[in-house]
Amino acid sequence: MTEPARPSPTAALAASASRAPLAFDRGHTDDLMTFLAASPSPYHAVATAAERLEKAGFKQVAETDAWDAVTSAASAAGSGGKYVLRGGAIVAWYVPEGAAPHTPFRIVGAHTDSPNLRVKPLPDSGAHGWRQVAVEIYGGPLLNSWLDRDLGLAGRLTLRDGSTRLVNVDRPLLRVPQLAIHLDRSVTADGLKLDKQRHLQPVWGLGHDVRDGDLIAFLEETAGLPAGEVTGWDLMTHSVEKPAYLGRDRELLAGPRMDNLLSVHAGTAALTAVASAASKPASIPVLAAFDHEENGSQSDTGADGPLLGNVLERSVFARGGSYEDRARAFAGTVCLSSDTGHAVHPNYAERHDPTHHPRVNGGPILKVNVNNRYATDGSGRAEFAAACEQAGVPFQSFVSNNSMPCGTTIGPITAARHGIRTVDIGVAILSMHSARELCGADDPFLLANALTAFLKR
């Protein structure tokens, strides 16, 4: 079979004048690798995104401040880019000069969390001369992918005064050792069977005297904090293996947390590009990267919480708007819920819909489910198709096999909670929810270009 030709920036630059040339190339994918490595937890991901936004002129605003004063100060300074950071979530937006209170929003939605192993409240444990860390399963990880892998530890420490400190032990610290085949020869015939409580507790040293507080004391020392300063923590494991190009022609990208930091990175790049452009958008571009998508989105930082709605409403009211202006703005708003999806698997093609086989490096995917597991409808398809055409980017369609349940995203939640027209899209990958996932090396920058065109429209 002849491999389908991959789109290239050169081809896009030769497109008609009605199409915008590609703004990103493989350099964007190189930068994605840097972003993934710098973001081992949702808290690190939003800090990394915030740093990039600030370099582009965005300013952080506090939710406890009066935003009418903040807006006036920003206008006087000629800066319309702002963001709110809360825990593992970030919402950033750019108000073009002269935007009316009823100006609609154009939102790129994503999430910062990924399935992994997270540290329990009493982490110090062990048995038979091994020192271990007690962990809990977060989300729906491919458990076998966490076995025999060198793991670091990262997350957020909360101090006695209520402040927080990020910590990242980015070296081999933990390991979940697999049982030797000599002690369970049935694994070859019957498959690997893991008990989540007994078989996934990592080791991190030797010793018969397990002492409460050892792990946190180690992290206090690592973070340069006084002993006893940490009173709370949100910690998780991560693979310390760095992202890397893969394949004879380096046409693939292997790395952690692409579900869904790939979209967070693309959305950040798209928002900063639109805010920095000479021509100003007719709508207000927004990036909303939520936490806790992998376990249902029901938190103050999740898509099912009030964060996005509060930010959008306060933006309307800070510009002198009324409830009527808020209703008009929301009615004209469109959200692209950008998350990863399933590329056709060469070894399991029968698990996919027989007529919908998204391929890596074939461009972003439009995700459709008539039972509203995805929020896309016909008008949403037209919206995304127009953005892709403007960017000179191809796109593909994804639906689940009728005989299998369909996953879901923040898309339906956003649509239902805020009454906002929402379209589910993303990038097709393999090994979703593995400690190390696989995508096409061209797809990240194709997605970024499509998102940029969408925010500009």
Side-chain angles (χ1 to χ4, degrees), residues 123-148:
D124 299 291
S125 66
H128 306 289
W130 293 96
R131 299 176 68 188
Q132 295 177 275
V133 174
V135 296
E136 188 175 3
I137 311 302
Y138 178 82
L142 283 172
L143 296 177
N144 63 294
S145 71
W146 290 88
L147 303 178
D148 295 333

PDB file of all heavy atoms in Angstrom, residues 123-148:
ATOM      1  N   PRO A 123       2.358   8.186  53.114  1.00  0.00           N
ATOM      2  CA  PRO A 123       3.090   7.576  51.999  1.00  0.00           C
ATOM      3  C   PRO A 123       4.134   6.539  52.376  1.00  0.00           C
ATOM      4  O   PRO A 123       4.513   5.717  51.539  1.00  0.00           O
ATOM      5  CB  PRO A 123       3.768   8.782  51.342  1.00  0.00           C
ATOM      6  CG  PRO A 123       3.925   9.771  52.437  1.00  0.00           C
ATOM      7  CD  PRO A 123       2.777   9.567  53.367  1.00  0.00           C
ATOM      8  N   ASP A 124       4.623   6.568  53.600  1.00  0.00           N
ATOM      9  CA  ASP A 124       5.759   5.725  53.945  1.00  0.00           C
ATOM     10  C   ASP A 124       5.301   4.307  54.291  1.00  0.00           C
ATOM     11  O   ASP A 124       4.531   4.099  55.242  1.00  0.00           O
ATOM     12  CB  ASP A 124       6.514   6.338  55.117  1.00  0.00           C
ATOM     13  CG  ASP A 124       7.066   7.709  54.775  1.00  0.00           C
ATOM     14  OD1 ASP A 124       7.989   7.776  53.947  1.00  0.00           O
ATOM     15  OD2 ASP A 124       6.547   8.709  55.317  1.00  0.00           O
ATOM     16  N   SER A 125       5.772   3.351  53.515  1.00  0.00           N
ATOM     17  CA  SER A 125       5.405   1.957  53.740  1.00  0.00           C
ATOM     18  C   SER A 125       6.576   1.078  53.331  1.00  0.00           C
ATOM     19  O   SER A 125       7.626   1.565  52.918  1.00  0.00           O
ATOM     20  CB  SER A 125       4.147   1.579  52.942  1.00  0.00           C
ATOM     21  OG  SER A 125       4.408   1.616  51.545  1.00  0.00           O
ATOM     22  N   GLY A 126       6.378  -0.233  53.459  1.00  0.00           N
ATOM     23  CA  GLY A 126       7.438  -1.145  53.061  1.00  0.00           C
ATOM     24  C   GLY A 126       7.214  -2.527  53.633  1.00  0.00           C
ATOM     25  O   GLY A 126       6.360  -2.738  54.500  1.00  0.00           O
ATOM     26  N   ALA A 127       7.968  -3.486  53.120  1.00  0.00           N
ATOM     27  CA  ALA A 127       7.858  -4.875  53.574  1.00  0.00           C
ATOM     28  C   ALA A 127       9.099  -5.644  53.164  1.00  0.00           C
ATOM     29  O   ALA A 127       9.689  -5.375  52.105  1.00  0.00           O
ATOM     30  CB  ALA A 127       6.605  -5.527  52.982  1.00  0.00           C
ATOM     31  N   HIS A 128       9.505  -6.601  54.018  1.00  0.00           N
ATOM     32  CA  HIS A 128      10.555  -7.555  53.689  1.00  0.00           C
ATOM     33  C   HIS A 128      11.868  -6.854  53.302  1.00  0.00           C
ATOM     34  O   HIS A 128      12.570  -7.282  52.382  1.00  0.00           O
ATOM     35  CB  HIS A 128      10.099  -8.492  52.567  1.00  0.00           C
ATOM     36  CG  HIS A 128       8.806  -9.185  52.862  1.00  0.00           C
ATOM     37  ND1 HIS A 128       8.690 -10.173  53.814  1.00  0.00           N
ATOM     38  CD2 HIS A 128       7.550  -8.987  52.348  1.00  0.00           C
ATOM     39  CE1 HIS A 128       7.438 -10.581  53.875  1.00  0.00           C
ATOM     40  NE2 HIS A 128       6.727  -9.878  53.008  1.00  0.00           N
ATOM     41  N   GLY A 129      12.172  -5.772  53.998  1.00  0.00           N
ATOM     42  CA  GLY A 129      13.429  -5.087  53.767  1.00  0.00           C
ATOM     43  C   GLY A 129      13.400  -4.065  52.655  1.00  0.00           C
ATOM     44  O   GLY A 129      14.432  -3.442  52.356  1.00  0.00           O
ATOM     45  N   TRP A 130      12.261  -3.875  52.051  1.00  0.00           N
ATOM     46  CA  TRP A 130      12.106  -2.864  50.999  1.00  0.00           C
ATOM     47  C   TRP A 130      11.370  -1.651  51.557  1.00  0.00           C
ATOM     48  O   TRP A 130      10.370  -1.790  52.266  1.00  0.00           O
ATOM     49  CB  TRP A 130      11.304  -3.421  49.814  1.00  0.00           C
ATOM     50  CG  TRP A 130      11.988  -4.507  49.051  1.00  0.00           C
ATOM     51  CD1 TRP A 130      11.837  -5.850  49.210  1.00  0.00           C
ATOM     52  CD2 TRP A 130      12.924  -4.325  47.999  1.00  0.00           C
ATOM     53  NE1 TRP A 130      12.625  -6.534  48.328  1.00  0.00           N
ATOM     54  CE2 TRP A 130      13.315  -5.617  47.560  1.00  0.00           C
ATOM     55  CE3 TRP A 130      13.492  -3.212  47.389  1.00  0.00           C
ATOM     56  CZ2 TRP A 130      14.235  -5.827  46.545  1.00  0.00           C
ATOM     57  CZ3 TRP A 130      14.406  -3.417  46.365  1.00  0.00           C
ATOM     58  CH2 TRP A 130      14.775  -4.705  45.938  1.00  0.00           C
ATOM     59  N   ARG A 131      11.835  -0.473  51.222  1.00  0.00           N
ATOM     60  CA  ARG A 131      11.117   0.752  51.531  1.00  0.00           C
ATOM     61  C   ARG A 131      10.280   1.123  50.314  1.00  0.00           C
ATOM     62  O   ARG A 131      10.781   1.140  49.179  1.00  0.00           O
ATOM     63  CB  ARG A 131      12.098   1.871  51.885  1.00  0.00           C
ATOM     64  CG  ARG A 131      12.938   1.552  53.113  1.00  0.00           C
ATOM     65  CD  ARG A 131      13.964   2.623  53.379  1.00  0.00           C
ATOM     66  NE  ARG A 131      13.324   3.873  53.799  1.00  0.00           N
ATOM     67  CZ  ARG A 131      13.983   5.020  53.948  1.00  0.00           C
ATOM     68  NH1 ARG A 131      15.281   5.074  53.691  1.00  0.00           N
ATOM     69  NH2 ARG A 131      13.355   6.094  54.346  1.00  0.00           N
ATOM     70  N   GLN A 132       9.012   1.430  50.530  1.00  0.00           N
ATOM     71  CA  GLN A 132       8.085   1.694  49.448  1.00  0.00           C
ATOM     72  C   GLN A 132       7.315   2.992  49.695  1.00  0.00           C
ATOM     73  O   GLN A 132       7.335   3.544  50.807  1.00  0.00           O
ATOM     74  CB  GLN A 132       7.090   0.526  49.301  1.00  0.00           C
ATOM     75  CG  GLN A 132       7.753  -0.783  48.885  1.00  0.00           C
ATOM     76  CD  GLN A 132       6.768  -1.928  48.815  1.00  0.00           C
ATOM     77  OE1 GLN A 132       6.489  -2.581  49.834  1.00  0.00           O
ATOM     78  NE2 GLN A 132       6.233  -2.171  47.633  1.00  0.00           N
ATOM     79  N   VAL A 133       6.652   3.453  48.646  1.00  0.00           N
ATOM     80  CA  VAL A 133       5.783   4.630  48.719  1.00  0.00           C
ATOM     81  C   VAL A 133       4.367   4.187  48.392  1.00  0.00           C
ATOM     82  O   VAL A 133       4.134   3.550  47.343  1.00  0.00           O
ATOM     83  CB  VAL A 133       6.240   5.729  47.744  1.00  0.00           C
ATOM     84  CG1 VAL A 133       5.240   6.888  47.738  1.00  0.00           C
ATOM     85  CG2 VAL A 133       7.631   6.241  48.127  1.00  0.00           C
ATOM     86  N   ALA A 134       3.430   4.495  49.269  1.00  0.00           N
ATOM     87  CA  ALA A 134       2.035   4.114  49.042  1.00  0.00           C
ATOM     88  C   ALA A 134       1.407   5.052  48.011  1.00  0.00           C
ATOM     89  O   ALA A 134       1.445   6.272  48.167  1.00  0.00           O
ATOM     90  CB  ALA A 134       1.253   4.186  50.351  1.00  0.00           C
ATOM     91  N   VAL A 135       0.849   4.474  46.958  1.00  0.00           N
ATOM     92  CA  VAL A 135       0.262   5.274  45.886  1.00  0.00           C
ATOM     93  C   VAL A 135      -1.177   4.832  45.616  1.00  0.00           C
ATOM     94  O   VAL A 135      -1.579   3.709  45.919  1.00  0.00           O
ATOM     95  CB  VAL A 135       1.089   5.168  44.580  1.00  0.00           C
ATOM     96  CG1 VAL A 135       2.479   5.756  44.767  1.00  0.00           C
ATOM     97  CG2 VAL A 135       1.162   3.728  44.087  1.00  0.00           C
ATOM     98  N   GLU A 136      -1.919   5.740  45.011  1.00  0.00           N
ATOM     99  CA  GLU A 136      -3.294   5.498  44.593  1.00  0.00           C
ATOM    100  C   GLU A 136      -3.373   5.696  43.084  1.00  0.00           C
ATOM    101  O   GLU A 136      -2.634   6.513  42.521  1.00  0.00           O
ATOM    102  CB  GLU A 136      -4.225   6.472  45.319  1.00  0.00           C
ATOM    103  CG  GLU A 136      -5.715   6.202  45.123  1.00  0.00           C
ATOM    104  CD  GLU A 136      -6.586   7.117  45.961  1.00  0.00           C
ATOM    105  OE1 GLU A 136      -6.036   8.008  46.657  1.00  0.00           O
ATOM    106  OE2 GLU A 136      -7.814   6.960  45.915  1.00  0.00           O
ATOM    107  N   ILE A 137      -4.260   4.957  42.430  1.00  0.00           N
ATOM    108  CA  ILE A 137      -4.399   5.042  40.977  1.00  0.00           C
ATOM    109  C   ILE A 137      -5.232   6.273  40.622  1.00  0.00           C
ATOM    110  O   ILE A 137      -6.353   6.443  41.108  1.00  0.00           O
ATOM    111  CB  ILE A 137      -5.073   3.788  40.401  1.00  0.00           C
ATOM    112  CG1 ILE A 137      -4.405   2.519  40.936  1.00  0.00           C
ATOM    113  CG2 ILE A 137      -5.051   3.816  38.872  1.00  0.00           C
ATOM    114  CD1 ILE A 137      -2.947   2.430  40.655  1.00  0.00           C
ATOM    115  N   TYR A 138      -4.688   7.138  39.762  1.00  0.00           N
ATOM    116  CA  TYR A 138      -5.410   8.327  39.309  1.00  0.00           C
ATOM    117  C   TYR A 138      -5.862   8.123  37.864  1.00  0.00           C
ATOM    118  O   TYR A 138      -5.047   7.829  36.974  1.00  0.00           O
ATOM    119  CB  TYR A 138      -4.534   9.572  39.393  1.00  0.00           C
ATOM    120  CG  TYR A 138      -5.231  10.819  38.886  1.00  0.00           C
ATOM    121  CD1 TYR A 138      -6.106  11.517  39.704  1.00  0.00           C
ATOM    122  CD2 TYR A 138      -5.037  11.267  37.583  1.00  0.00           C
ATOM    123  CE1 TYR A 138      -6.774  12.641  39.243  1.00  0.00           C
ATOM    124  CE2 TYR A 138      -5.695  12.397  37.121  1.00  0.00           C
ATOM    125  CZ  TYR A 138      -6.562  13.082  37.950  1.00  0.00           C
ATOM    126  OH  TYR A 138      -7.226  14.188  37.486  1.00  0.00           O
ATOM    127  N   GLY A 139      -7.171   8.290  37.634  1.00  0.00           N
ATOM    128  CA  GLY A 139      -7.698   8.139  36.286  1.00  0.00           C
ATOM    129  C   GLY A 139      -7.673   6.682  35.846  1.00  0.00           C
ATOM    130  O   GLY A 139      -7.783   5.763  36.651  1.00  0.00           O
ATOM    131  N   GLY A 140      -7.511   6.481  34.554  1.00  0.00           N
ATOM    132  CA  GLY A 140      -7.513   5.130  33.995  1.00  0.00           C
ATOM    133  C   GLY A 140      -6.238   4.817  33.247  1.00  0.00           C
ATOM    134  O   GLY A 140      -6.240   4.667  32.019  1.00  0.00           O
ATOM    135  N   PRO A 141      -5.100   4.702  33.950  1.00  0.00           N
ATOM    136  CA  PRO A 141      -3.841   4.430  33.251  1.00  0.00           C
ATOM    137  C   PRO A 141      -3.755   3.001  32.733  1.00  0.00           C
ATOM    138  O   PRO A 141      -4.410   2.096  33.252  1.00  0.00           O
ATOM    139  CB  PRO A 141      -2.788   4.662  34.342  1.00  0.00           C
ATOM    140  CG  PRO A 141      -3.497   4.332  35.617  1.00  0.00           C
ATOM    141  CD  PRO A 141      -4.923   4.770  35.411  1.00  0.00           C
ATOM    142  N   LEU A 142      -2.960   2.802  31.687  1.00  0.00           N
ATOM    143  CA  LEU A 142      -2.561   1.456  31.282  1.00  0.00           C
ATOM    144  C   LEU A 142      -1.547   0.995  32.320  1.00  0.00           C
ATOM    145  O   LEU A 142      -0.369   1.374  32.283  1.00  0.00           O
ATOM    146  CB  LEU A 142      -1.942   1.469  29.887  1.00  0.00           C
ATOM    147  CG  LEU A 142      -2.908   1.573  28.706  1.00  0.00           C
ATOM    148  CD1 LEU A 142      -2.146   1.773  27.408  1.00  0.00           C
ATOM    149  CD2 LEU A 142      -3.769   0.313  28.610  1.00  0.00           C
ATOM    150  N   LEU A 143      -2.001   0.186  33.267  1.00  0.00           N
ATOM    151  CA  LEU A 143      -1.189  -0.121  34.444  1.00  0.00           C
ATOM    152  C   LEU A 143       0.127  -0.792  34.084  1.00  0.00           C
ATOM    153  O   LEU A 143       1.162  -0.531  34.701  1.00  0.00           O
ATOM    154  CB  LEU A 143      -1.993  -1.003  35.407  1.00  0.00           C
ATOM    155  CG  LEU A 143      -3.249  -0.349  36.010  1.00  0.00           C
ATOM    156  CD1 LEU A 143      -3.984  -1.353  36.886  1.00  0.00           C
ATOM    157  CD2 LEU A 143      -2.891   0.892  36.802  1.00  0.00           C
ATOM    158  N   ASN A 144       0.104  -1.671  33.090  1.00  0.00           N
ATOM    159  CA  ASN A 144       1.328  -2.392  32.746  1.00  0.00           C
ATOM    160  C   ASN A 144       2.431  -1.452  32.268  1.00  0.00           C
ATOM    161  O   ASN A 144       3.619  -1.767  32.362  1.00  0.00           O
ATOM    162  CB  ASN A 144       1.051  -3.447  31.679  1.00  0.00           C
ATOM    163  CG  ASN A 144       0.564  -2.833  30.379  1.00  0.00           C
ATOM    164  OD1 ASN A 144      -0.520  -2.268  30.334  1.00  0.00           O
ATOM    165  ND2 ASN A 144       1.354  -2.915  29.326  1.00  0.00           N
ATOM    166  N   SER A 145       2.046  -0.269  31.745  1.00  0.00           N
ATOM    167  CA  SER A 145       3.049   0.665  31.229  1.00  0.00           C
ATOM    168  C   SER A 145       3.859   1.324  32.345  1.00  0.00           C
ATOM    169  O   SER A 145       4.891   1.950  32.086  1.00  0.00           O
ATOM    170  CB  SER A 145       2.387   1.738  30.367  1.00  0.00           C
ATOM    171  OG  SER A 145       1.624   2.646  31.146  1.00  0.00           O
ATOM    172  N   TRP A 146       3.415   1.185  33.598  1.00  0.00           N
ATOM    173  CA  TRP A 146       4.130   1.766  34.721  1.00  0.00           C
ATOM    174  C   TRP A 146       5.070   0.764  35.396  1.00  0.00           C
ATOM    175  O   TRP A 146       5.792   1.115  36.334  1.00  0.00           O
ATOM    176  CB  TRP A 146       3.132   2.305  35.755  1.00  0.00           C
ATOM    177  CG  TRP A 146       2.418   3.512  35.228  1.00  0.00           C
ATOM    178  CD1 TRP A 146       1.267   3.536  34.500  1.00  0.00           C
ATOM    179  CD2 TRP A 146       2.836   4.867  35.349  1.00  0.00           C
ATOM    180  NE1 TRP A 146       0.938   4.828  34.158  1.00  0.00           N
ATOM    181  CE2 TRP A 146       1.884   5.665  34.679  1.00  0.00           C
ATOM    182  CE3 TRP A 146       3.917   5.489  35.975  1.00  0.00           C
ATOM    183  CZ2 TRP A 146       1.988   7.055  34.596  1.00  0.00           C
ATOM    184  CZ3 TRP A 146       4.016   6.878  35.901  1.00  0.00           C
ATOM    185  CH2 TRP A 146       3.065   7.638  35.227  1.00  0.00           C
ATOM    186  N   LEU A 147       5.093  -0.471  34.919  1.00  0.00           N
ATOM    187  CA  LEU A 147       5.957  -1.488  35.499  1.00  0.00           C
ATOM    188  C   LEU A 147       7.379  -1.379  34.968  1.00  0.00           C
ATOM    189  O   LEU A 147       7.602  -1.079  33.786  1.00  0.00           O
ATOM    190  CB  LEU A 147       5.412  -2.884  35.196  1.00  0.00           C
ATOM    191  CG  LEU A 147       3.976  -3.191  35.657  1.00  0.00           C
ATOM    192  CD1 LEU A 147       3.583  -4.594  35.236  1.00  0.00           C
ATOM    193  CD2 LEU A 147       3.833  -3.002  37.162  1.00  0.00           C
ATOM    194  N   ASP A 148       8.347  -1.645  35.831  1.00  0.00           N
ATOM    195  CA  ASP A 148       9.764  -1.694  35.443  1.00  0.00           C
ATOM    196  C   ASP A 148      10.197  -0.436  34.696  1.00  0.00           C
ATOM    197  O   ASP A 148      10.961  -0.499  33.727  1.00  0.00           O
ATOM    198  CB  ASP A 148      10.055  -2.935  34.592  1.00  0.00           C
ATOM    199  CG  ASP A 148       9.852  -4.228  35.368  1.00  0.00           C
ATOM    200  OD1 ASP A 148       9.991  -4.192  36.602  1.00  0.00           O
ATOM    201  OD2 ASP A 148       9.544  -5.262  34.751  1.00  0.00           O
TER     202      ASP A 148
END
